[in-house]
Amino acid sequence: MLYTSTRNSAIKVSAAQAIASGISEDGGLFLPVSIPELSLNDIEKLCGLSYMDRAVEILKLYLTDFSLEEIEKCVNGAYGGGKFDSPDVAPLVKLNDKKYALELWHGPTCAFKDMALQLLPHLLTESVRKTDSKKTTVILVATSGDTGKAALDGFKDVENTQIIVFYPEEGVSPMQKLQMITQEGENVNVCAIKGNFDNAQNGVKAIFTDKNIKSELNNNNMAFSSANSINWGRLAPQIVYYVSAYCDLVSSEVIECGDKINFVVPTGNFGNILAAYYAKMMGLPIDKLVCASNANNVLTDFIETGTYDKNREFFTTISPSMDILISSNLERLLYMMSGNNDEKVKAWMNELNSQGKYSIDEEMISKLQEHFICGYCDDEKTKEAINREFAECNYLCDTHTAVAAETLHGYAKNGEENIVSVIASTANPYKFPKAVLEALSAEDVSKISEFQALDKLNEITGVPIPARLSSLKDKEIRFSNVCEQKEMADITLKMLGIK
Ligand SMILES: *Cc1c(COP(=O)(O)O)cnc(C)c1O
């Protein structure tokens, strides 16, 4: 299986090359030139397997330049050894006869990014080795919260890698900050930036493209790479859990193999729902993919009208991991839906860059709407959904999952929904304890600490607090550095021991 770029179909690279380089030189994203098929017979066979074995079977269809042993080693390293607190890795929980939650937050950081970021370090080191590089890989991350911690945890103590995370001093939640500054591991570094997420992001981009720094690294036998969600190595692991959820429904006789189901996905960068689209294209019987947004509803408008327009007010919401106006993974969908038209994709992305908007044609709009349903809700509705799901289904949603639950509620109300829907549950509710508590009680959360909010939420709901979050209170703080954006390059070299 070869990979090409969304902006230049002439490019052909192996999976290892695509993963090792992260992004194509033309600025496009790598994607497989064709989509492997999964027959109903294949799916039935997968039903009898564990999550890890299902992962090996799916990944080997995409990573054809990896040996079976290599894939098994990567999968075991990611999901084995008690790293996930559920033996099923991504368990399916029944909410009612027609509604299930696919819990993607049983990994070390209690959010869905772990599903990909626990596997990516293994895929990346294997890919770098395959491309015959003997260099140490240096992962630089600018984060607004969840990605930084998940990347730190995934890359900690992985051989031949160093990871450095920059976060905005005032721009992450208290829980997210604590998770990062207490991170263990010999090869990890964390630094706060005076400024916002854009400052951190721009600083990292400047380091990536600085020729002097690049050659300094080269002289020291090191090279940069990215753990960002545009890396194919983050998308492939996400296809697995959609197939696995379907198998679980078949195994428990909720559906018969071949019956169609819906997936409802709380969406930000479009990575998670794009993986579901891949599963559908492979042959997994999926009816609709429901794309759920918060008040930053740029995708809702795009799916309804065919115009993507990021020129709009940016809202800070209680579902911060979806506060995004440029959904970068959409580029892969555009490429596939336009019939692999790299010229068109390039033109749209140029328009997005220069005017902040672009429009697709009627034919593509109807293709898009054939697969995708969309909806959005604001913070008030999100809290209502947390309340409703807990009262009616005894299920405690985090703020992101609640956006999906609310969107499905709107869709199902129209009487259109008789088939089983699976909601992607993307974070443990205790990761956003104040907002969830506020939804369920009259508590004035501004007067209490994060940890008090954990305890109160536990008192009200009886849902256990993950030890991984409650134990943060007593962990040693390892990283208290704060720097200016202009100091980031210097700090990076110092952290790598070059200066
Ligand atoms: C990142 C994230 C999302 C959005 O996923 P995308 O792949 O960016 O669409 C949703 N919920 C949570 C909790 C996340 O961390």
Side-chain angles (χ1 to χ4, degrees), residues 37-296:
E37 275 179 37
L38 211 53
S39 67
L40 290 184
N41 198 16
D42 294 333
I43 294 170
E44 270 178 359
K45 280 192 199 138
L46 291 173
C47 288
L49 304 183
S50 68
Y51 187 87
M52 285 202 274
D53 289 340
R54 287 171 186 168
V56 171
E57 292 303 312
I58 303 295
L59 289 170
K60 79 179 187 197
L61 302 174
Y62 286 97
L63 310 177
T64 48
D65 51 330
F66 284 56
S67 71
L68 195 58
E69 290 70 35
E70 286 168 342
I71 295 177
E72 282 169 355
K73 196 175 113 193
C74 290
V75 166
N76 283 330
Y79 304 121
K83 283 201 168 162
F84 283 68
D85 68 11
S86 162
D88 297 332
V89 182
L92 197 62
V93 177
K94 181 175 177 175
L95 306 196
N96 66 30
D97 283 347
K98 293 284 174 230
K99 187 164 67 176
Y100 286 75
L102 170 59
E103 294 187 339
L104 303 174
W105 42 258
H106 287 274
T109 79
C110 301
F112 108 95
K113 304 278 189 302
D114 287 329
M115 297 302 299
L117 277 165
Q118 284 296 317
L119 185 55
L120 179 71
H122 299 280
L123 295 178
L124 192 70
T125 40
E126 210 57 62
S127 297
V128 169
R129 200 183 51 73
K130 281 175 165 312
T131 51
D132 262 345
S133 170
K134 304 267 183 299
K135 291 188 180 135
T136 295
T137 303
V138 179
I139 306 287
L140 275 194
V141 181
T143 184
S144 57
D146 279 346
T147 301
K149 172 62 188 180
L152 283 166
D153 207 284
F155 280 96
K156 85 164 174 234
D157 296 331
V158 172
E159 256 177 64
N160 297 326
T161 63
Q162 291 280 332
I163 172 160
I164 303 174
V165 170
F166 291 101
Y167 71 92
E169 194 182 12
E170 306 296 339
V172 300
S173 81
M175 198 63 90
Q176 289 171 326
K177 178 172 174 178
L178 258 182
Q179 279 189 316
M180 289 190 280
I181 62 180
T182 58
Q183 177 66 48
E184 291 160 6
E186 292 302 311
N187 63 340
V188 304
N189 262 299
V190 177
C191 183
I193 302 294
K194 287 183 193 146
N196 58 26
F197 172 65
D198 282 337
N199 297 117
Q201 172 117 308
N202 290 338
V204 163
K205 276 192 191 151
I207 297 172
F208 267 131
T209 47
D210 187 315
K211 288 211 176 67
N212 291 331
I213 298 180
K214 201 172 167 180
S215 70
E216 288 252 29
L217 253 70
N218 203 24
N219 294 341
N220 287 274
N221 213 17
M222 297 177 179
F224 284 127
S225 186
S226 159
N228 207 284
S229 81
I230 50 180
N231 194 319
W232 179 255
R234 273 188 64 177
L235 205 90
Q238 299 181 164
I239 301 170
V240 175
Y241 49 71
Y242 290 106
V243 178
S244 181
Y246 189 89
C247 290
D248 285 347
L249 287 172
V250 174
S251 294
S252 53
E253 296 180 0
V254 175
I255 58 169
E256 282 180 31
C257 193
D259 289 351
K260 286 191 172 177
I261 64 168
N262 298 319
F263 281 109
V264 191
V265 186
T267 304
N269 218 1
F270 210 76
N272 201 2
I273 197 165
L274 185 71
Y277 179 73
Y278 267 93
K280 184 174 185 188
M281 291 302 103
M282 288 175 80
L284 196 69
I286 297 174
D287 188 35
K288 296 293 183 200
L289 301 168
V290 184
C291 176
S293 301
N294 63 24
N296 296 295

